[in-house]
Amino acid sequence: KNGITLDTSSNTAIVNNTAYNNTNRGIYLSSSSNSNVSNNIICNSLGNGGIISATSINSYIFNNTITQNVDGIYVYANSLNTTILNNMVRNNVNNGIVVGDTASSTVNNTIAYNTANNNIYQGIRLINTVNSIITNNTASNNKDNGIALLTALNSTITNNTVSNNVNGINLASSTTNVTNNNVSNNKGTGITSTSSSNSNITNDTVSNNTQNGITVTGTGSSTLKNNTVSSNTLSGVRLENSGNYVNNNSIVNNGVGISIYAANNTLKYNRIYQNNLGLNNTGSNANAMYNWWGSNNPNFTSLITGVVNYSPWLYMIITADPMSINKTEPSLVTVSFNNLYDGSTVMGLDPALGHIPDDVLVSWTGTINPTSKTLNGIATSIFTTTTSGMRNITATTDNQQFTYY
């Protein structure tokens, strides 16, 4: 039934084999340790998968091509210290890579540099796992989630490309750090966190998803920080539960920038710009102070629906040092967003407490570099002149233009 079976084996290498059309599994590791499964081709295994590891320790599954099986790779039954590296896992009937099961825990897993594409369900799926790293994988064109976690504790999902799936990354009842991923062009939502307390979604690029960019729902709260969330059809960020922190994100060109359906959510130091609607709040106690809305004097009537505490907001100014120079001498010109405005008074803001997201573009006109980007709330450029007289310098960010005379 199996192409190759290791049963209670240790220090065994399964290398450079081809396993086709087996009625159960292609390669099966059972209660084995220190196994190396590499450079094999496994196709059309009709049982529960191409490469199966059950109750095994220190398994190394590397550089295999696994296609048209039930599951591509399946690791379960209290397996420990499994590395799944640089495999091509595609066109499988169920999932590409599965680690864990509902009856036991699978501990210390590394899933890295794999391609999990065109599988009927999930590209990569974790169930009841502890201490997992999912990094530098490509999960695309799967018919369900690109990456899905269920009851996965202490997991890190980082530097993955997740695109053109039904949904991108789906966390359920998991404790996870999701960081530096590119999640785009999925037919549903880019990143969903459901009842995943203390999960952090940071430094991700989430764009062009047909529904929402990032959705947080169920019980527990999450932190969304330093993400770029753009061009999602419905909402850039959708908050369906309470107690979330949404800080330092660029949320641009979405249907709605942020949609809130629950109480006591905090949104600070975000760039919320050029969405069809900036913020829709049907919950209560939404704290949206200290955000940049694309201009110094936003029209909040058209930007926000619902009751929201949005004042004060971030405010842009421009300065030059020195103000007066001789020909060919330089002057440092600074645009600062480290200011707060309540409609009447401009106040300084310590950037150590928070600031507009880094890498916001500032365009300049004058004898000066044409563009620069923000860092810690400021953007700088050097002005020089070869002629005498007064000169104007204009800086533009989003809908705000500021001229220094």
Side-chain angles (χ1 to χ4, degrees), residues 60-246:
Y60 185 68
I61 302 171
F62 169 70
N63 205 36
N64 301 280
T65 300
I66 306 159
T67 61
Q68 297 178 346
N69 305 280
V70 176
D71 288 311
I73 298 172
Y74 186 15
V75 178
Y76 70 111
N78 295 309
S79 290
L80 178 66
N81 300 338
T82 302
T83 299
I84 302 171
L85 178 65
N86 200 42
N87 298 280
M88 177 67 71
V89 188
R90 63 176 186 263
N91 297 314
N92 294 285
V93 174
N94 285 344
N95 306 289
I97 298 170
V98 180
V99 177
D101 63 277
T102 58
S104 62
S105 294
T106 303
V107 180
N108 297 342
N109 310 288
T110 299
I111 303 167
Y113 295 97
N114 301 282
T115 299
N117 292 350
N118 294 296
N119 300 286
I120 296 300
Y121 294 112
Q122 275 84 210
I124 299 170
R125 184 185 187 197
L126 271 60
I127 312 167
N128 286 345
T129 60
V130 180
N131 300 336
S132 299
I133 298 173
I134 303 172
T135 184
N136 288 289
N137 301 282
T138 298
S140 298
N141 296 297
N142 298 287
K143 303 304 186 291
D144 200 336
N145 303 297
I147 298 174
L149 274 60
L150 174 63
T151 322
L153 303 180
N154 194 29
S155 301
T156 298
I157 302 174
T158 182
N159 292 317
N160 300 282
T161 299
V162 184
S163 62
N164 295 297
N165 306 282
V166 171
N167 294 295
I169 297 174
N170 196 323
L171 316 175
S173 302
S174 299
T175 305
T176 310
N177 291 320
V178 181
T179 184
N180 289 314
N181 301 281
N182 191 325
V183 185
S184 64
N185 295 299
N186 297 285
K187 297 177 181 64
T189 292
I191 300 174
T192 302
S193 176
T194 303
S195 300
S196 295
S197 297
N198 302 316
S199 290
N200 298 303
I201 301 172
T202 61
N203 294 301
D204 299 290
T205 299
V206 186
S207 62
N208 293 294
N209 298 286
T210 302
Q211 293 185 13
N212 304 297
I214 302 173
T215 294
V216 183
T217 188
T219 59
S221 60
S222 297
T223 297
L224 283 59
K225 187 174 182 179
N226 294 329
N227 301 286
T228 299
V229 185
S230 64
S231 301
N232 300 285
T233 303
L234 299 182
S235 296
V237 174
R238 180 182 173 98
L239 305 177
E240 298 181 358
N241 61 356
S242 300
N244 300 290
Y245 293 89
V246 181

Side-chain angles (χ1 to χ4, degrees), residues 280-310:
N280 175 43
N281 179 39
T282 59
S284 60
N285 299 324
N287 180 356
M289 297 187 296
Y290 311 152
N291 293 289
W292 171 251
W293 298 90
S295 74
N296 283 345
N297 295 285
N299 181 358
F300 288 108
T301 301
S302 63
L303 286 171
I304 295 174
T305 58
V307 178
V308 175
N309 184 8
Y310 57 78

